[in-house]
């Protein structure tokens, strides 16, 4: 089975930066997508950014485009999310997620097959 482990969350001031990491294991093919979703208290979980491990294609939510960058290191089975110019509205639990048997990175929550445990990101002065 696939397992995902997030790290890198923490407390940062508005305008600051954080880098999240998601380490994956248990993949049995080269065709899957890894991405980040987030959920604030009382809010629905939403897609942030996703990347295809096969071809590197990416998707970003409009709210983070230009501020966040997703990248991959296939040799380490790890995906990163560099978050710059963070805003209080970015405060949420960030979850790593995987969709198997795909060449795309649609970042659709309904297509997620596996979830990580989440890491807290708090943006506050």
């Amino acid at each position: 089975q696939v397992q995902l482990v997030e790290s890198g969350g923490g407390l940062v001031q508005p305008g600051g930066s954080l880098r999240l990491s998601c380490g994956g294991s248990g993949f049995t093919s080269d065709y899957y997508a890894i991405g980040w979703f987030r959920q604030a208290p009382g809010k629905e979980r939403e897609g942030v950014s996703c990347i295809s491990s096969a071809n590197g294609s990416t998707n970003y939510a409009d709210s983070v485009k230009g501020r966040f960058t997703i990248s991959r290191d296939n040799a380490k089975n790890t995906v990163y999310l560099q978050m710059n110019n963070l805003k209080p509205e970015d405060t949420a639990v960030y979850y790593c997620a995987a969709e198997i048997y795909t060449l795309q990175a649609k970042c659709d929550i309904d297509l997620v097959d596996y979830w990580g445990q989440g890491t807290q990101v708090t943006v506050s002065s």
Side-chain angles (χ1 to χ4, degrees), residues 11-93:
L11 174 65
V12 64
Q13 293 185 340
S17 299
L18 284 173
R19 188 193 192 197
L20 305 183
S21 299
C22 174
S25 64
F27 293 99
T28 59
S29 79
D30 295 328
Y31 308 111
Y32 58 92
I34 301 291
W36 294 93
F37 294 73
R38 67 186 182 186
Q39 187 169 23
K43 304 296 183 180
E44 294 184 353
R45 193 171 299 186
E46 62 178 352
V48 177
S49 182
C50 297
I51 187 168
S52 168
S53 294
N55 57 33
S57 63
T58 60
N59 284 116
Y60 294 92
D62 290 340
S63 60
V64 306
K65 192 172 184 179
R67 299 188 297 121
F68 292 9
T69 302
I70 193 168
S71 61
R72 63 175 180 169
D73 185 340
N74 285 355
K76 298 180 179 180
N77 293 322
T78 301
V79 171
Y80 305 94
L81 184 67
Q82 179 66 46
M83 305 186 294
N84 297 327
N85 191 25
L86 283 160
K87 304 175 180 180
E89 64 197 78
D90 296 317
T91 296
V93 176

